[in-house]
Amino acid sequence: MQIKLTVNGKKYQRDASETKNLLHFLREDLGLTGTKEGCGAGECGACTVIMNGRTVNSCLILAVEADDCDIQTIEGEAKDGNLSELQQAFHKNHAVQCGFCTPGMIMSARALLQKTAKPSVEEIKEAIEGNFCRCTGYQQIIEAVQDASGQLKKKEGLRRA
Amino acid sequence: MLENTPRKDRRYVGKDVPKIDSIEKLTGQALYTGDLEFAGMLHGKVLRSPHAKAKIVKIDTTRAQQLAGVHAVLTGKDLDYRVGLYLVDKYILARETIRHFGEAVAAVAAETPAIAQQAVDLIEVEYEVMTPFLEPKKVFDKDAPLVHPDLGTYDYVQAVFTPIPGTNIANHTKLRKGDVNKAFKKADYIIEREYTNPNVQHVPMETHIAIGKWDVGDRITIHTSAQSPFTVRNLFAHSFKIPHCNIRVITPYLGGGFGGKAGIHLEPLCCCLSKMAGGRPVKIQATREEEFSLLPCRSGLTYHIKTGVKKNGKIVAQKMTMYWDAGAYADYAVNVTRASGFSASGPYEIENAWVDAYTVYTNKPFGTAYRGFGHVEFSWGVERHMNYVASQIGVDPLEFRRINALKAGSKTMTGEEIMKNTGNVTKCMEAVAESIKYGKLTAAEAAREKKTGRKIGKSVVALHKAPAMPPFTGTVMILKLNEDGSVTGSHALTDYGMGTYTSLAQIIADVLRWPIERIRLPIENDTDRDPYDWQTVASKGLLLSGNAAILAAKDLLDKCYDVAAQVLRAQKCDLDHDEEKVFVRHHPKSYVTYKQMAVGYAYPDGNAICGPIVGIGRYIAQGLSNLNKETGQGNPALDWTYGAHGLVVEVDPKTGEYTIIKVASAYDVGCVINEASVRGQAIGGMLQGLGTAMCEGYIYNDKGQLLNPSFTDNKIPTSLDIPEEIDCIAIETPQIDGPFGARGVGEHSMIAVCGALGNAIEQAVGAVLTHMPIRQEDVWRALSNKKTPGKVVRQSKAARTEKTADAEAVAKPRRGRPPKSAKAVAKTPKKRGRPAKAASAAAELAKPRRGRPPKAAKPADNTPKKRGRPPKAAKPADNTPKKRGRPPKAAKPADNAPKKRGRPAKAAKPAENTPKKRGRPAKAAKPAESKKVKRGRPTKAAKPVVGMPKKRGRPPKSPVINK
Amino acid sequence: MLQEFNYLAPKSKNELYAQLKKYSGKARILAGGTDILVELHNQWVAPEYLIDIKKIGDFQGISFDEDEGLSIGATTVCIDLIKDRNAKKHFPLLVDAAHRIGSPQLRNRATIGGNLCTASPCADMGCSLLALNASVEIGSEEGTRVIPLKEFFTGPKKTQIKKHEILQRIIVPAEMAGAKFGMQKLKRIKGHDIALVSVAMARTAKVMRVGIGSCGPTPVVTEDLPPRASLRAVVKAVKKVVSPIDDVRASKDYRLFMTRQFVEAIYPELFKRS
C-alpha cells in the first residue's frame, strides 16, 4: 500500500507491506537502523519513536498506520552533524552504556522536553518509565535530562572514602 | 603497575572522561549485529520443544523443505557435533532427546523471516514425553531420572572439574580447610539454615543474534553479538575440527551481555544452515521469548549453611552445601560452581571450612555465566545467614561482620593470605554504615515512620569476588602509530558499555602523555585483526588489559626513543617525551616528532631507518594456580575486590509493600580510573541486583514448562523502581599489580544487594525470607508465619545458660531498630510482630490466619484434594509403567570397556557422614527448618512447582496459563 | 509480522458494518494495536483481515452532555481521556484509571474501547467504568444497542459483541458526574504492570459502587449500594462478587487480602468534603 509520511523533516513516499510494522519499515525500507527492536511486544521501549508529537512503540504500529504522519527518530536528533543539547547532556553525564536503549530513551526524553521545559525528577522518571535500561540503573539518564533542561545544580559524583 | 604515580602526573586517570563510544550510540550510527545486511542473506528460525524432557520419535521436514523460499532445513540428525566450554555435552540441535523446554529441535533458513517461520510451523515432530528431573536437591535419589545418561563419555577439563557419571552431577567442587567436625564441637552455637533462588534471565536489551557464513574450503565468517570472539572461534574450531585460522569472528557493537553472551550460542547453527544453503549468510535473531527459554539463563541455587560460632562472635567452623540448578547443559555452570565454591563464605575468615558444591543437571533451560558468576546467588544466603547467626548469639549484625571480616593476615578458604594491599572490606562496611546512619533512625526517618505507619529497616552487608578465570589468562594490546601522530589500538576485549575502553584510553594517554583524543580504540573486534584476549567476563578486563595497555604504550615509546636516539645521536636515558615529540632532556630544541617517525624515519637525503612503529603489550596473570580437587586449596585469585552495601527500606507491616529509600555502595577498586564509569557500574549493577531481589525469576509448572517466558510476567526494574537515594563510594587500597593500582568492579555491584534487602526488611518488620524474589506478597506471607526457618543448637553450657534478656531479645527476628548494645536491648521495649489488624470490625474478606497459613486455592478442575505426599510427577505420555528400582543404565562407553556389573558408581556422599542407610541412598543435608514429617501436609523440601514463590501449607496445583 | 493478512481502513461506520458482515469470523479489529499486535507477534491469532477503525469519525472524541453524561468514542486513546477537560471535571476516576494503564508509549496508543473489548480480567478501564455504571453502545448493520457494561463481559477475553458488531462508544451516566472516587492497583513493580488486583470505587449522594479487576474471570462490580453503606457492608458486597485464583502473578489469598485493604483505604476518601 502506498503511504506518505514525513520522517525527521524529510518527506517519503513508499510502497509499504501491509503486514510490516513501523519499526521494520523504518529500519528496512528507509534504512534508519537507529531505532532498535528489543521485544516486539511493546514492553521494553527500545523501538520508541515520536509520532505526531507523542512517543509510541513502533513495534505495535503497522507501517500503513503511519500514512500521513510525522515521525521523529534518533537520526533526526542531531542537526548538521552537531549533537543536540540533550545528546550532549547524555554524553557528558555517562547516560549511555551499551547504547541499545539509547535511541528510544532519547526520544522519550525529547518528547518530555517538548512538552515540559523543566521537568521534575518524578516527571522524568515517569516519561522514561516505558524504556527499559539494563545497564545504567537509570540514575545517570535522569541526571542527563536534568542537565539538558538546565536543572542539574551539582554534578553527582563518586565519593572517595 | 604505576600505582605510585603522583596524582599531579595523572592527567586522565582518576578523572571523569566521557565515554569514547557514546556519540555513535547517541546518534543511532553505531551498528549492532541486527543492523548488518549482507548480499544474499537468509533468515533463520528455530523450532523449539514444548516439553522439558522427551524422546524425539519422529521428525518430518518434508513440507518445510518444499516451501518456496526455503534454502535449508536441519534437524539434530544432520549435526553430529557437540559443543561445551568445559564439559562437551550439548548438540547443536537436540538429537533423540529433548532436555529442556524451549530446546532447539530443528532450524530453517529462508529468504524472509515470515517464510522461515512458516516453514518451521510445517515441521512435524512426534514426541514421547518423559518425566523431567526438576529438583536439584533430589540429586541423590536413587530413582532420579538422568538428564545425561552418557555423562561418562563426555570430554571435559579434567584438571578442574569432577563430573559423576550415572548421576545428574555435572561437577562436584570440594573444599576442605581445617577440621570442621572438630571445630563444630568447640562452637558455642551451631546455626544452620537454607536459602534458595530461582533461575533468572540476563535480559540484555539486544537479544542474542548471529550471522554465519560457511564458504567453500571451510572458511567461516561469523558476525555475532558475543562478549568473547576468541572463545567463539576456539569452541567452533574444536567442535567442527576446523583450523582456527579458517574461522573469523567479528563482534560489532553489543547491546548488553552480562555473561549471557560470554560463550557460544547461535553461531554454530547459523553456520551450519549457511553451509547447507550453499554459503549464503544466515542470520538468526532470538525473539524476546526465545531469549527466555532457547537461550541460557542463570542457574538457580539451594544453599545450605551450617555455622559453628563462639559466643564472642567468632565463626570457628562452617559447612556449606550448594545445589546448583544448572539446567540441561553444563555450559559455564560447572565453573560457576567452582568459582562459588572457593568464595562461598563471603569476605569472612573461616578457620575451618567445608564446601560441597554440586552442579546439578535438571531438565530446564541451562545456566550460563551471569554477572557475579554465582556470587549473587550465594551471597543472598551468606548475608542473610550472617544476620541470622548474629541475631541468635546476641551480636549486632554489623559488629558480627567486623569481627569476622577478612583483613591483612587472614587466610581465605583456599589458603591464600590476604595482604595489606589486597583491599579493605571493613572500610567498605564503615563507609556505607555511615552513609545510611546505620543503627538509628534519623529525625526525618522517624517522622516518616510516624506519618505513614510504615516501618523503616536498615542493614549493612559485605561482598567479595575474584575473577573466575583460568590461572593462565592473558591478553595482548597492540598500538599502531599513525602518520599524523595519533594511535589506533587493536584489542579483543569487548566493551559493551562498561567503559573499559575509555579507561584503557585514559591509561594509554597518561603513559604516553598525549591528549586522549589522539587515541582510538575501535569498539568492533575481529579475530583476524585483533590479537588474542581470553573473554570479556570476570571483571578481569581492566586489570589485565590495563596492564597490557601500559606495556604497549611503554613499548611504543621505547621504539620511538630508539628512533630518536639514533637520529639525535643521544642515549635513551638522556631523552624525554611530551605530547608531540621525543626530545633531549637537556637540549629540548633537539627533537623528533612522532609524525616524523610514525611509519619510518626518513633523513633529508632520503635514507630511512626503523620502519612503522607498533607497540605491543602482553600480560598474563601472575602466580595463580588450579585448586586441588580434594581440598580446594590453591591460589585462584587474580585480585579480590571487596565491597559493601547499606540499604534502608520502608515496609508496610500490613501488606508487605516496601520501598527502598536508600542504597549506599562502597567498593575498594584500588584506583578509580574513570569516576563516572565506576559510578555507572555501581548503580547499574545495584539495580540489576535489586531486580533479582524484587521481581525476577523463572516459574515452571510441574512438567518443567516455563510459565513466564516474556516481559508480561518476567518483570525487570524500571525508572520508577530505583531507590529514592543512591550513594556510591570508592575506597582506594592500591592493587600493586593493577594498572595505576586499579582492580575490576564490573560484577561486584550486583552481588550483595539482595541480602541487604532481605536483612533490612526483616529488621523493619520481622519478616523472615530465605527465598528470592521478595515480592510484597512474600513479605506479607512471612509476616504471618509463626514458625521461621532455621535451626539453632546451643551447644556449650555457656550458650545454654546465657539466656539473658540480651540474648533472648535478639534471638527472635527483630522488629524495629537494631539494638544499640547488648545491654540496651533488654531495655528496649519489644515490638511484637503481628501486622496491625484491619480497621474493619466485622466480616473481613481474608483475615491473616492464626496457626496454619492460608490454604492454596482449590484446583480449577475440582480434583479432590489429596492428603499426604505431594502428587507424583505426571506419568510419561505413553503410559509406560513406571520402572521401579535402578535408574536406566548409562550407554556403553565408546571404547568398549567391559561393562561393570551391579549398581552404578555411587554419587559422592553429601558432606555430613550420615551413617549409610540400607535401601535408600544417604539423604542430602535436610533443610534446616524441620525434622518432623508432618501428617497431612507435604514435607517442606518437596515442592511440586519448582521456582514458584514459597508458600506455606499445601502447594498449589500446577497452574497452567491457557493462551 | 510473520503472518499474512489484508489491511482494511474503512472511513465510515457503514463501510465498517459491511466489512464486518462480509468477513465475519475472519476479521479482527485494529484500534490502538496494543493488544492485537502483541497477539500477532506471538502468533496467537491469524486473522485474514485486520480492520483499522481509527479513521471513522463517529468513533472519535469525548463529549459531555448534562443528560446523557460523558460519551467516549471507542477509539479515544488513554492520553486524550486523561487530558480531557470534561473527564477531569466530572469523572476524575476515569482519568486516574487511564493513567494507570501501561507506559507512556502505550497510553499514547491504547484505546478505551480496545481495553474493554480485549476483556482481560485485569482491564484497568473495566473496574473503573463499572464503578461508574457505564454502558456501551454496540453497532452493526442491524442497528445499535446499548447495554450496561456489567453485562458486556461474559468471560475471560469474551464479550457480548458478535462477529459482525463493533463497540462504538462508552457512555458514563450523568448521574455519576462528580462522584467521589478512589482507585488502587496492585502491581509487582512500581513501573508498568498488569493489575494483580484493582479496585475502583465511586460514590454519589445516591449510590456507591465498587468495581474490581483481576479477581474473577471478568472485571466485576458490586450491586448498587446505599451511599452511606458501612464499610462492613461494602466489604461484604465485594466478597459476594469476587472469585480470585492462584496464578503466576499472585495467590488467591493475597488477592482477597489486598482487595479488602484497598476497599478500606479508599472508603474514607469517598466521604471527604471537596
Side-chain angles (χ1 to χ4, degrees):
Chain A
M1 188 175 133
Q2 273 283 313
I3 61 169
K4 284 187 203 170
L5 66 169
T6 305
V7 183
N8 299 325
K10 190 176 152 81
K11 291 194 188 340
Y12 293 88
Q13 186 170 323
R14 289 283 193 278
D15 195 14
S17 160
E18 288 176 1
T19 59
K20 188 176 271 198
N21 65 27
L22 179 60
L23 170 66
H24 291 155
F25 175 79
L26 290 169
R27 287 174 56 82
E28 294 162 17
D29 294 47
L30 301 188
L32 299 170
T33 57
T35 310
K36 308 299 183 200
E37 177 162 3
C39 72
E43 289 272 2
C44 74
C47 67
T48 303
V49 298
I50 299 175
M51 184 157 144
N52 295 344
R54 291 176 171 173
T55 51
V56 293
N57 291 315
S58 58
C59 68
L60 292 187
I61 298 176
L62 295 177
V64 293
E65 291 181 85
D67 185 27
D68 221 18
C69 288
D70 182 86
I71 312 280
Q72 290 172 252
T73 72
I74 187 65
E75 286 88 350
E77 182 68 17
K79 300 274 187 270
D80 301 320
N82 297 315
L83 297 182
S84 68
E85 82 294 340
L86 181 60
Q87 286 167 312
Q88 286 179 48
F90 266 59
H91 181 57
K92 233 174 52 182
N93 288 281
H94 286 253
V96 181
Q97 288 192 25
C98 83
F100 206 75
C101 76
T102 301
M105 195 69 77
I106 292 271
M107 288 296 103
S108 289
R110 169 56 62 209
L112 171 69
L113 294 176
Q114 279 170 355
K115 223 176 42 171
T116 313
K118 293 200 183 293
S120 65
V121 168
E122 280 315 307
E123 285 173 320
I124 297 170
K125 285 183 182 178
E126 260 217 34
I128 62 171
E129 184 271 307
N131 294 79
F132 289 171
C133 175
R134 197 57 158 162
C135 299
T136 65
Y138 305 102
Q139 182 62 30
Q140 287 163 317
I141 293 173
I142 294 164
E143 288 162 8
V145 180
Q146 287 182 294
D147 196 11
S149 53
Q151 300 186 89
L152 193 64
K153 293 184 182 63
K154 190 186 121 189
K155 179 105 186 267
E156 294 288 344
L158 183 71
R159 290 203 293 122
R160 306 290 220 280
Chain B
M1 250 194 259
L2 303 183
E3 73 279 8
N4 293 320
T5 308
R7 299 262 163 199
K8 65 174 180 56
D9 292 337
R10 301 183 190 191
R11 184 175 166 191
Y12 294 104
V13 166
K15 307 290 180 351
D16 176 6
V17 173
K19 289 202 177 77
I20 62 175
D21 57 332
S22 71
I23 290 178
E24 57 269 37
K25 294 171 183 176
L26 281 164
T27 56
Q29 287 168 338
L31 292 178
Y32 298 78
T33 306
D35 302 324
L36 304 176
E37 288 283 329
F38 296 101
M41 192 170 78
L42 301 172
H43 299 267
K45 286 279 178 194
V46 169
L47 173 67
R48 294 177 291 142
S49 165
H51 305 294
K53 185 173 178 184
K55 248 200 212 95
I56 301 172
V57 176
K58 206 169 81 169
I59 305 185
D60 186 350
T61 59
T62 319
R63 289 167 67 207
Q65 287 168 9
Q66 290 165 350
L67 188 66
V70 170
H71 291 259
V73 181
L74 288 171
T75 67
K77 274 210 182 99
D78 304 309
L79 300 174
D80 189 9
Y81 303 104
R82 271 212 279 246
V83 286
L85 282 149
Y86 304 106
L87 202 161
V88 186
D89 60 358
K90 183 175 189 301
Y91 287 109
I92 297 167
L93 291 171
R95 274 168 75 94
E96 296 171 6
T97 311
I98 298 292
R99 291 191 170 88
H100 70 83
F101 174 83
E103 182 164 12
V105 177
V108 169
E111 286 162 20
T112 70
I115 296 172
Q117 187 59 54
Q118 264 184 282
V120 162
D121 293 340
L122 291 172
I123 297 174
E124 291 162 20
V125 186
E126 190 184 321
Y127 297 102
E128 180 191 313
V129 181
M130 297 161 76
T131 306
F133 178 68
L134 298 173
E135 294 196 53
K137 276 193 73 183
K138 292 193 167 170
V139 69
F140 298 108
D141 284 11
K142 207 173 162 202
D143 54 0
L146 291 182
V147 180
H148 286 273
D150 294 342
L151 178 56
T153 65
Y154 299 160
D155 289 333
Y156 67 98
V157 179
Q158 298 195 13
V160 181
F161 300 109
T162 311
I164 302 178
T167 73
N168 285 319
I169 298 173
N171 174 49
H172 174 202
T173 289
K174 255 167 44 172
L175 188 142
R176 304 283 185 261
K177 179 191 179 199
D179 188 335
V180 127
N181 292 321
K182 208 163 148 189
F184 271 134
K185 292 193 173 93
K186 297 200 173 132
D188 292 323
Y189 297 81
I190 298 184
I191 298 165
E192 57 186 305
R193 200 159 70 173
E194 192 164 273
Y195 307 90
T196 52
N197 45 45
N199 297 123
V200 153
Q201 214 332 283
H202 309 69
V203 188
M205 290 319 299
E206 178 200 35
T207 59
H208 282 71
I209 177 170
I211 304 172
K213 190 171 194 302
W214 194 315
D215 288 324
V216 169
D218 289 343
R219 313 262 320 175
I220 314 286
T221 309
I222 299 171
H223 289 78
T224 175
S225 179
Q227 293 170 223
S228 312
F230 278 88
T231 291
V232 174
R233 188 180 80 161
N234 189 42
L235 292 175
F236 201 102
H238 279 293
S239 295
F240 291 92
K241 313 265 184 290
I242 291 176
H244 285 65
C245 57
N246 274 23
I247 303 163
R248 181 182 183 193
V249 180
I250 299 159
T251 54
Y253 285 77
L254 267 67
F258 312 109
K261 296 177 181 173
I264 191 169
H265 298 293
L266 293 173
E267 297 87 355
L269 187 55
C270 291
C271 291
C272 292
L273 286 166
S274 170
K275 188 178 185 190
M276 196 176 196
R280 287 175 73 160
V282 175
K283 175 199 274 191
I284 298 181
Q285 168 132 44
T287 64
R288 185 57 63 180
E289 290 73 22
E290 286 169 339
E291 194 72 16
F292 278 107
S293 61
L294 168 68
L295 278 313
C297 58
R298 190 177 78 193
S299 300
L301 173 63
T302 300
Y303 189 18
H304 189 98
I305 309 177
K306 180 176 174 181
T307 305
V309 62
K310 296 292 234 183
K311 59 186 170 63
N312 65 4
K314 189 81 187 99
I315 297 174
V316 295
Q318 190 152 287
K319 201 178 266 191
M320 296 151 275
T321 313
M322 294 172 158
Y323 299 92
W324 288 95
D325 186 349
Y329 298 102
D331 197 77
Y332 272 99
V334 287
N335 199 15
V336 168
T337 304
R338 182 197 71 96
S340 305
F342 77 71
S343 216
S345 58
Y348 309 108
E349 184 164 28
I350 317 277
E351 240 177 86
N352 301 281
W354 201 342
V355 178
D356 285 281
Y358 301 98
T359 315
V360 182
Y361 281 127
T362 59
N363 290 110
K364 295 178 190 169
F366 60 98
T368 188
Y370 189 133
R371 192 177 194 177
F373 215 66
H375 288 55
V376 176
E377 301 92 289
F378 79 68
S379 172
W380 162 245
V382 167
E383 293 305 313
R384 290 290 291 125
H385 197 70
M386 291 296 281
N387 270 39
Y388 179 46
V389 173
S391 69
Q392 294 304 312
I393 67 173
V395 174
D396 173 76
L398 174 56
E399 182 57 26
F400 183 56
R401 285 174 171 81
R402 283 191 197 106
I403 292 166
N404 291 287
L406 288 167
K407 27 182 113 45
S410 300
K411 286 256 166 69
T412 67
M413 287 212 298
T414 61
E416 177 193 343
E417 186 180 339
I418 300 299
M419 316 292 278
K420 198 175 65 135
N421 279 89
T422 307
N424 194 328
V425 68
T426 304
K427 205 167 172 189
C428 293
M429 289 195 287
E430 302 298 358
V432 299
E434 165 54 36
S435 176
I436 65 166
K437 305 287 179 270
Y438 177 83
K440 58 182 187 235
L441 291 185
T442 63
E445 287 162 352
R448 184 167 169 164
E449 266 198 348
K450 198 168 174 200
K451 185 174 176 201
T452 62
R454 298 180 171 201
K455 297 293 175 200
I456 291 178
K458 299 187 181 187
S459 80
V460 168
V461 296
L463 62 107
H464 72 166
K465 186 178 182 290
M469 62 185 210
F472 46 82
T473 303
T475 191
V476 187
M477 166 80 73
I478 294 176
L479 294 174
K480 302 175 285 192
L481 189 53
N482 297 319
E483 297 92 311
D484 63 351
S486 64
V487 87
T488 300
S490 179
H491 191 49
L493 184 79
T494 55
D495 184 343
Y496 46 93
M498 309 82 97
T500 324
Y501 271 35
T502 305
S503 297
L504 294 177
Q506 289 171 255
I507 289 168
I508 293 166
D510 270 358
V511 173
L512 294 177
R513 299 182 203 150
W514 290 10
I516 199 170
E517 292 76 19
R518 292 221 317 259
I519 294 154
R520 171 148 164 77
L521 297 178
I523 294 293
E524 304 96 327
N525 307 106
D526 181 342
T527 56
D528 269 8
R529 179 196 73 198
D530 297 324
Y532 176 86
D533 178 85
W534 172 64
Q535 295 184 7
T536 305
V537 294
S539 310
K540 58 88 179 145
L542 184 60
L543 200 156
L544 293 182
S545 296
N547 283 346
I550 290 173
L551 293 172
K554 284 187 169 177
D555 187 48
L556 186 85
L557 277 175
D558 193 54
K559 286 170 175 148
C560 292
Y561 276 40
D562 280 341
V563 176
Q566 191 164 340
V567 172
L568 302 174
R569 298 177 196 167
Q571 295 175 97
K572 279 161 80 170
C573 58
D574 287 327
L575 298 174
D576 203 347
H577 67 280
D578 65 20
E579 57 185 68
E580 298 298 337
K581 54 194 183 297
V582 178
F583 59 90
V584 178
R585 203 182 296 125
H586 59 280
H587 281 303
K589 287 191 180 153
S590 197
Y591 63 82
V592 184
T593 66
Y594 300 115
K595 285 183 201 177
Q596 286 176 300
M597 58 175 131
V599 295
Y601 180 84
Y603 285 93
D605 67 356
N607 281 179
I609 56 166
C610 294
I613 294 185
V614 174
I616 300 177
R618 297 181 304 156
Y619 190 79
I620 193 162
Q622 187 280 324
L624 305 188
S625 67
N626 290 324
L627 298 175
N628 179 297
K629 279 172 124 184
E630 287 306 310
T631 64
Q633 303 300 289
N635 197 18
L638 178 70
D639 59 15
W640 287 100
T641 302
Y642 295 113
H645 293 289
L647 191 145
V648 184
V649 73
E650 173 190 64
V651 188
D652 185 324
K654 273 190 295 182
T655 65
E657 185 184 356
Y658 61 88
T659 300
I660 299 173
I661 296 175
K662 183 170 183 177
V663 176
S665 311
Y667 305 100
D668 192 338
V669 295
C671 164
V672 173
I673 305 289
N674 186 309
E675 282 216 351
S677 285
V678 173
R679 187 163 174 262
Q681 290 295 92
I683 299 174
M686 179 266 294
L687 193 69
Q688 199 173 10
L690 285 178
T692 285
M694 300 192 297
C695 56
E696 297 178 33
Y698 282 23
I699 303 172
Y700 301 92
N701 64 15
D702 61 357
K703 299 187 183 70
Q705 294 162 321
L706 186 59
L707 298 176
N708 57 343
S710 75
F711 283 139
T712 305
D713 289 311
N714 225 313
K715 313 303 292 181
I716 67 169
T718 69
S719 54
L720 293 176
D721 296 290
I722 68 177
E724 292 173 10
E725 214 186 315
I726 297 171
D727 187 16
C728 300
I729 305 155
I731 313 285
E732 292 179 290
T733 311
Q735 176 76 21
I736 291 174
D737 58 348
F740 289 90
R743 50 179 91 82
V745 73
E747 298 169 278
H748 303 71
S749 45
M750 216 181 143
I751 289 171
V753 70
C754 307
L757 180 62
N759 289 342
I761 289 175
E762 182 173 345
Q763 210 264 314
V765 293
V768 176
L769 295 139
T770 56
H771 178 75
M772 287 201 278
I774 307 168
R775 306 166 309 156
Q776 73 176 69
E777 175 173 345
D778 298 308
V779 178
W780 172 77
R781 210 168 275 284
L783 284 168
S784 59
N785 279 347
K786 282 250 155 204
K787 198 154 186 258
T788 56
K791 181 173 150 192
V792 181
V793 171
R794 290 186 170 75
Q795 203 163 246
S796 69
K797 191 177 173 188
R800 280 197 296 275
T801 55
E802 200 185 78
K803 281 187 181 178
T804 61
D806 303 349
E808 267 189 330
V810 293
K812 292 180 190 156
R814 262 180 273 137
R815 321 283 184 221
R817 289 174 209 139
K820 285 190 179 141
S821 67
K823 278 211 174 81
V825 166
K827 298 185 180 118
T828 308
K830 273 182 266 186
K831 288 183 194 168
R832 295 289 170 194
R834 216 159 279 151
K837 281 187 183 151
S840 152
E844 293 148 356
L845 277 174
K847 276 188 200 164
R849 286 195 216 138
R850 315 282 173 216
R852 225 170 269 159
K855 284 181 187 160
K858 279 202 175 57
D861 64 355
N862 288 321
T863 309
K865 275 185 239 180
K866 289 189 182 150
R867 304 258 170 217
R869 288 193 196 113
K872 287 183 182 154
K875 279 199 174 60
D878 65 351
N879 289 320
T880 309
K882 194 161 136 185
K883 286 188 183 152
R884 306 247 170 228
R886 286 178 209 138
K889 287 183 184 155
K892 280 203 179 62
D895 63 356
N896 289 321
K899 200 160 101 176
K900 284 192 185 149
R901 302 273 169 204
R903 288 193 193 114
K906 284 192 176 129
K909 281 196 175 58
E912 293 187 26
N913 289 326
T914 315
K916 196 160 109 177
K917 290 188 183 153
R918 300 279 168 199
R920 276 185 207 134
K923 285 189 180 142
K926 277 200 174 63
E929 299 100 75
S930 168
K931 276 191 168 166
K932 279 191 202 159
V933 175
K934 295 203 176 126
R935 304 278 173 207
R937 208 172 287 161
T939 58
K940 279 171 189 171
K943 289 192 172 30
V945 181
V946 179
M948 273 292 273
K950 276 197 184 157
K951 288 158 63 168
R952 302 285 167 195
R954 242 166 248 132
K957 296 283 173 358
S958 30
V960 177
I961 290 187
N962 295 314
K963 295 235 173 354
Chain C
M1 300 291 123
L2 299 172
Q3 304 94 322
E4 290 299 314
F5 53 81
N6 296 295
Y7 171 82
L8 302 169
K11 294 196 180 57
S12 71
K13 264 192 318 194
N14 292 329
E15 195 183 344
L16 171 64
Y17 294 156
Q19 286 172 353
L20 284 173
K21 182 137 186 230
K22 186 175 176 191
Y23 303 121
S24 172
K26 296 190 222 167
R28 288 290 302 265
I29 300 296
L30 174 63
T34 57
D35 286 316
I36 184 72
L37 260 73
V38 176
E39 293 179 43
L40 286 167
H41 165 80
N42 286 318
Q43 297 186 274
W44 296 337
V45 298
E48 281 183 48
Y49 297 91
L50 207 60
I51 307 179
D52 185 348
I53 59 170
K54 291 192 290 295
K55 295 190 161 102
I56 300 171
D58 287 319
F59 298 166
Q60 294 168 6
I62 306 174
S63 61
F64 180 73
D65 177 88
E66 298 283 349
D67 297 315
E68 192 186 47
L70 194 73
S71 170
I72 307 171
T75 58
T76 302
V77 296
C78 295
I79 191 67
D80 288 333
L81 179 61
I82 290 166
K83 288 176 160 176
D84 183 75
R85 195 171 45 90
N86 286 310
K88 282 201 272 202
K89 184 175 176 193
H90 299 294
F91 300 99
L93 173 57
L94 296 182
V95 173
D96 185 325
H99 202 81
R100 293 173 192 269
I101 291 179
S103 62
Q105 292 93 321
L106 292 174
R107 290 195 288 277
N108 287 337
R109 291 293 289 183
T111 63
I112 310 303
N115 193 252
L116 296 180
C117 290
T118 298
S120 167
C122 42
D124 287 308
M125 295 312 302
C127 62
S128 51
L129 286 165
L130 284 170
L132 293 170
N133 199 28
S135 306
V136 289
E137 180 186 280
I138 299 171
S140 71
E141 260 188 2
E142 290 146 21
T144 59
R145 56 193 181 100
V146 176
I147 58 168
L149 185 63
K150 64 184 175 194
E151 289 167 27
F152 177 70
F153 303 114
T154 57
K157 307 226 162 193
K158 292 196 176 79
T159 71
Q160 273 219 25
I161 296 185
K162 299 189 185 50
K163 289 187 172 98
H164 64 288
E165 293 181 318
I166 186 73
L167 177 74
Q168 301 187 152
R169 64 191 186 110
I170 300 104
I171 304 149
V172 193
E175 63 257 25
M176 294 305 295
K180 295 273 194 293
F181 72 99
M183 181 161 177
Q184 301 263 15
K185 175 176 168 179
L186 175 65
K187 300 186 291 185
R188 288 163 289 194
I189 53 174
K190 298 195 198 303
H192 64 273
D193 192 11
I194 280 177
L196 273 55
V197 170
S198 50
V199 171
M201 295 176 71
R203 176 180 171 268
T204 65
K206 297 217 173 99
V207 73
M208 189 190 321
R209 263 182 233 100
V210 186
I212 308 105
S214 300
C215 283
T218 71
V220 293
V221 66
T222 58
E223 63 200 347
D224 286 3
L225 297 165
R228 299 208 74 82
S230 69
L231 178 58
R232 183 185 182 159
V234 174
V235 165
K236 191 173 174 189
V238 168
K239 199 176 171 186
K240 256 167 79 176
V241 297
V242 297
S243 53
I245 57 169
D246 289 322
D247 64 18
V248 295
R249 297 170 190 157
S251 70
K252 169 187 162 179
D253 296 335
Y254 194 59
R255 286 184 154 117
L256 286 171
F257 175 79
M258 287 307 294
T259 304
R260 177 176 60 84
Q261 287 295 120
F262 286 161
V263 168
E264 288 178 6
I266 298 168
Y267 184 83
E269 300 297 312
L270 306 179
F271 292 88
K272 278 198 175 141
R273 299 232 174 124
S274 311

